Amino acid sequence: MRTNTPIYQRVADDLRAEIADGTRPPGSQLPTEAELQEKYGATRYTVRQGLAALVNEGLIVSRRPLGYFVREIHPMIYRPQQEFRRKQPDLDLFAQLLADEGNGRQPSQDIEVAIVQPNATTRDRLKLNESELLAARRRTRYIDGEPYNINDSYVRLSFVQDSEFMSPVDVARGTNQVLADLGKPLVRALDEIYVRMPKPEEVTRLKLGPGTPVAEHIVTTYTFDDEPVQVTINIVPGDRHVIVFERTREWPPTEQGASE
Amino acid sequence: MRTNTPIYQRVADDLRAEIADGTRPPGSQLPTEAELQEKYGATRYTVRQGLAALVNEGLIVSRRPLGYFVREIHPMIYRPQQEFRRKQPDLDLFAQLLADEGNGRQPSQDIEVAIVQPNATTRDRLKLNESELLAARRRTRYIDGEPYNINDSYVRLSFVQDSEFMSPVDVARGTNQVLADLGKPLVRALDEIYVRMPKPEEVTRLKLGPGTPVAEHIVTTYTFDDEPVQVTINIVPGDRHVIVFERTREWPPTEQGASE
């Protein structure tokens, strides 16, 4: 088998296996191109092909002129439920695996407000007429000055025209409270998560490296009467986040759910 | 600006814009390489570079010898809450956007059972001792014979040794019910969703095309006493699924959540 594998692929396979089993931990430097050429009796071009495959898989990064390094991933917790959540004791797992990730890092955000035409995503979810315009509140969030995610909210312009929603600064009580004060308390949300490669403008806005997919997280929020009021489109880079939900159920269950 | 853009990138940019604005709808055929060569006064190599960029972004597919086509995405609804969910009326949005996606398609699955050593993912979440072994129930799910996702569940071997959990067939009442009958009803779950490029074995097992990231969805389920019992690792290809959650809250809220 092995003899039929092209050399560039053997280079990639061997390094990938050593990354997976911890022999090469996150942040460690890989052998130089010259070392790999010698080890595999291969040309520089072949060795680079193997390294490029791992870059595109998001496993290593090139830091010229230093060389190649195993990628370090320090995901922040991205918790859609936070907005709606009643306080309950955190599961132990958070403390163990996830809870300390934000420590000491400095969050900030840019806020921009615009009046826009709806597109297919917002029109379908908000059930808009042809002629209706939207107010858009666009936030780019940073941690220690590095872009982390994009969060763009859309509401019918007629709802929020003269409200703080249109003010491009942080609203202390939250824009959901602004909408509630305008008579639209949001009590129900639908989360849709699409996993895809980023668009060029997302690569630029979020400074994404090669091999970095994103989650497009679309939240539609509703009133008591199931009237859709707000659509929020979050672009969440895979190398910077873990998306977390918690669920509970009654026991014995009121209705039997299938598990497989 | 435009004059500094390399030709291969102009080819990619122009086609990408036409895909984004609907001029080139999903499933439609792109111009041939010869047509693009003539339009841009470029070599075949340059045109191919532009097309390759769009393949890697997951926007188009190459179907030799026919040519290139705009990729068609028909995501199935992947609903982690289904397992735990109390019946409530579906939001209208489902009916409109999502509900008909499964119609007429034929689901099936392969089930395999194994006894395995824990890895870091399972050991941390299940709080295992060094010496404990796990029972693994591995399912590959198919729709119309095409692989759709991977769903591998892990439980302490000592819990399920002589139970139906170890039987590599579909368990009609569900493996969660098997665990409940063994004295471990699962009432709480933590969902973690990581977004990344697939591993080579996932590419093979799920027949993934270029530019197709996956969600790794790890579910840890707990008893009343917050004892972790089961870890399930789902590999969910981005081109075949939309991950959906629903949330509700009380109003007025018992505790104020921040919205931005």
Side-chain angles (χ1 to χ4, degrees), chain B residues 84-137:
Chain B
F84 270 21
R85 216 163 150 238
R86 273 170 297 162
K87 193 72 187 165
Q88 52 182 9
D90 269 341
L91 288 171
D92 228 10
L93 189 57
F94 278 117
Q96 256 181 264
L97 292 176
L98 304 169
D100 57 347
E101 290 296 347
N103 281 356
R105 301 208 230 171
Q106 195 54 49
S108 62
Q109 62 182 347
D110 285 346
I111 303 177
E112 189 185 287
V113 170
I115 295 172
V116 299
Q117 301 275 358
N119 63 14
T121 300
T122 48
R123 187 163 37 229
D124 291 352
R125 285 165 183 74
L126 295 177
K127 298 178 189 164
L128 302 174
N129 305 332
E130 274 307 312
S131 59
E132 282 180 287
L133 291 176
L134 292 175
R137 222 176 137 78

Side-chain angles (χ1 to χ4, degrees), chain B residues 1-91:
Chain B
M1 296 269 289
R2 202 63 210 253
T3 48
N4 291 328
T5 309
I7 297 182
Y8 85 90
Q9 203 172 306
R10 281 174 46 202
V11 173
D13 289 351
D14 291 349
L15 291 172
R16 191 190 296 108
E18 290 167 3
I19 293 167
D21 73 13
T23 311
R24 298 189 179 281
S28 66
Q29 185 160 11
L30 296 187
T32 63
E33 289 177 358
E35 286 166 346
L36 291 169
Q37 280 179 254
E38 190 174 321
K39 175 168 175 193
Y40 290 91
T43 63
R44 171 154 298 200
Y45 176 79
T46 298
V47 160
R48 282 195 180 162
Q49 259 193 303
L51 291 165
L54 298 182
V55 169
N56 284 324
E57 290 172 27
L59 294 180
I60 67 172
V61 291
S62 160
R63 280 195 224 127
R64 283 181 200 169
L66 295 176
Y68 293 88
F69 293 80
V70 180
R71 195 171 189 185
E72 290 185 273
I73 305 268
H74 297 295
M76 291 280 292
I77 301 172
Y78 175 86
R79 204 186 299 216
Q81 283 169 311
Q82 194 140 36
E83 204 185 330
F84 270 21
R85 216 163 150 238
R86 273 170 297 162
K87 193 72 187 165
Q88 52 182 9
D90 269 341
L91 288 171

